[in-house]
Amino acid sequence: MNNTNSRRYFLKTAATFVGAAFFGLWGAMIHTQRKSKKKEVVRVSLNGNRKVLFHEDCIIINKDEPVVLSSHCTHLGCRIQTFENGQLICPCHGSAFDLEGNPLKGPAITQLKKLDFTLNKQTQTITIKI
Ligand code: FES
């Protein structure tokens, strides 16, 4: 091996190690960030006049037996904040869901996640763990 080939080999090897270290650290950082996201408790007052209530990470369907859905679209995670013609509409690519979270129109093909909650009928307050 001459000097040029030796230097080239060294640079390729060094670049491979630096790249592997970078992607390893990146993966570890993403994993730590996901793990550290705490469960959040949200309390929302039910407004008897509104059928659909949007809160940051959830959508509350206000009916006799309320339903709480994640507001994050199952396609690519955009936040759903629109209720039109009886459908929840994602602003990013136009997916539509019914009030049970079932997809009516793609590109999303899976149901919005249903969230656990408790309802205090006296105070008409709903508590959600997100
Ligand atoms: S993120 Fe909702 S349709 Fe794409």
Side-chain angles (χ1 to χ4, degrees):
M1 206 182 288
N2 64 29
N3 255 358
T4 309
N5 282 343
S6 164
R7 193 176 308 143
R8 194 169 287 151
Y9 175 77
F10 171 77
L11 290 174
K12 276 184 181 176
T13 305
T16 302
F17 278 113
V18 169
F22 174 78
F23 285 111
L25 287 173
W26 183 269
M29 190 176 80
I30 298 293
H31 180 72
T32 302
Q33 190 178 10
R34 283 188 182 152
K35 240 178 129 179
S36 68
K37 192 175 180 186
K38 294 178 189 167
K39 284 216 167 200
E40 187 182 337
V41 175
V42 175
R43 284 189 181 79
V44 179
S45 247
L46 291 178
N47 178 341
N49 299 327
R50 294 182 60 197
K51 188 174 187 175
V52 178
L53 301 166
F54 291 96
H55 196 273
E56 285 180 29
D57 289 321
C58 61
I59 304 166
I60 300 154
I61 312 304
N62 188 7
K63 54 185 186 176
D64 293 342
E65 290 296 323
V67 174
V68 179
L69 303 168
S70 166
S71 64
H72 297 281
C73 179
T74 54
H75 177 228
L76 292 177
C78 288
R79 215 170 93 201
I80 299 168
Q81 303 173 71
T82 306
F83 177 60
E84 284 178 4
N85 303 320
Q87 299 179 349
L88 301 164
I89 309 292
C90 179
C92 292
H93 311 102
S95 287
F97 301 87
D98 68 15
L99 296 183
E100 291 292 321
N102 299 309
L104 300 172
K105 180 184 159 222
I109 56 170
T110 55
Q111 187 180 37
L112 293 174
K113 183 179 175 189
K114 288 190 177 173
L115 302 176
D116 292 333
F117 65 93
T118 53
L119 170 65
N120 183 329
K121 290 190 177 185
Q122 285 184 323
T123 60
Q124 283 297 293
T125 305
I126 214 162
T127 304
I128 308 150
K129 285 183 186 165
I130 296 176

